[in-house]
Amino acid sequence: GESVGLHLPTLSVQEGDNSIINCAYSNSASDYFIWYKQESGKGPQFIIDIRSNMDKRQGQRVTVLLNKTVKHLSLQIAATQPGDSAVYFCAENKNDYKLSFGAGTTVTVRA
Amino acid sequence: DAGVTQSPTHLIKTRGQQVTLRCSPKSGHDTVSWYQQALGQGPQFIFQYYEEEERQRGNFPDRFSGHQFPNYSSELNVNALLLGDSALYLCASSLAPGTGVETQYFGPGTRLLVL
């Protein structure tokens, strides 16, 4: 079946550097994408979303890029901080209001 | 502004038993979705409730059932528990389908262990 997947299961980044987390999706009918952050023992926390009619969206220290041609989604975190250490999930919504998640990327910030 | 709440936080059951998990949506939200998250995996959609009816369902057996109350809170019931039902059960709330705002906000989850 179609699903959302992440390129790398783990990412180690130096504190202060920028992080880039990638995600590939296969369903061209998806029209809404979301990034969530999940810390140990907690539920997923909404970070940022983007609709399929957009290529880029910026938030506070985060930017999501959407490349529909190659079905690729990325999350960029500027000036990564220790509090950014978590598992990051991309999810897609195919206009049926149920989210499909990838397996996640574990980000570890080195001091 | 109250966020999504879930109870209990942890639960231990034995095989064959039944369990009920509860969720209160974020203030202003009327739609509740339930997800199962196995260790090391992403959440998997179970079903969604809106206007007290099940609107969408994922690939889960009939042992998984739910309910939504007039105050928009929801319950997830699992019958005849299996070892493989051990997971973190997440509730997410959102505005109604068709509003154009699909963002789902998650609660802290209920950790279920089946022995």
Side-chain angles (χ1 to χ4, degrees):
Chain A
E2 295 162 321
S3 63
V4 176
L6 292 170
H7 290 308
L8 294 174
T10 62
L11 176 67
S12 180
V13 61
Q14 185 71 36
E15 181 179 356
D17 287 351
N18 296 334
S19 303
I20 299 176
I21 306 167
N22 295 304
C23 178
Y25 66 95
S26 59
N27 189 344
S28 57
S30 295
D31 60 356
Y32 180 59
F33 304 87
I34 313 98
W35 281 99
Y36 286 95
K37 169 187 179 184
Q38 187 172 26
E39 297 175 279
S40 181
K42 297 183 179 181
Q45 175 188 355
F46 172 84
I47 301 174
I48 193 168
D49 57 4
I50 189 168
R51 293 196 173 278
S52 58
N53 62 353
M54 301 172 68
D55 298 321
K56 178 180 180 179
R57 191 169 187 210
Q58 290 184 290
Q60 187 176 9
R61 280 202 309 119
V62 294
T63 300
V64 55
L65 299 177
L66 176 63
N67 185 331
K68 295 179 286 294
T69 301
V70 294
K71 297 178 187 173
H72 182 269
L73 190 69
S74 69
L75 177 70
Q76 300 177 4
I77 304 174
T80 310
Q81 303 169 359
D84 295 327
S85 293
V87 180
Y88 290 80
F89 293 98
C90 63
E92 65 176 312
N93 186 324
K94 293 171 275 190
N95 200 30
D96 57 4
Y97 305 100
K98 60 182 181 182
L99 297 176
S100 296
F101 285 81
T105 291
T106 299
V107 173
T108 302
V109 181
R110 306 188 306 272
Chain B
D1 181 21
V4 181
T5 60
Q6 292 186 244
S7 63
T9 56
H10 296 81
L11 204 52
I12 300 175
K13 291 287 188 178
T14 56
R15 283 177 297 176
Q17 285 189 313
Q18 178 266 343
V19 68
T20 297
L21 310 181
R22 296 176 177 82
C23 170
S24 290
K26 181 179 170 70
S27 178
H29 286 179
D30 55 8
T31 300
V32 173
S33 302
W34 287 93
Y35 294 81
Q36 180 195 66
Q37 186 177 24
L39 200 61
Q41 303 293 318
Q44 297 293 312
F45 176 78
I46 303 175
F47 43 52
Q48 183 183 80
Y49 276 83
Y50 167 62
E51 291 185 332
E52 301 179 48
E53 290 188 14
E54 182 183 294
R55 301 291 177 170
Q56 296 277 344
R57 189 177 183 93
N59 188 27
F60 280 82
D62 292 344
R63 297 187 298 109
F64 289 77
S65 64
H67 187 78
Q68 186 178 35
F69 299 94
N71 67 353
Y72 310 123
S73 67
S74 176
E75 290 183 347
L76 164 65
N77 301 292
V78 187
N79 294 322
L81 284 166
L82 304 174
L83 296 180
D85 294 331
S86 296
L88 179 68
Y89 288 86
L90 295 161
C91 169
S93 76
S94 57
L95 292 174
T99 59
V101 182
E102 303 100 314
T103 307
Q104 294 186 22
Y105 295 89
F106 285 83
T110 293
R111 176 71 64 185
L112 173 64
L113 177 62
V114 182
L115 301 176

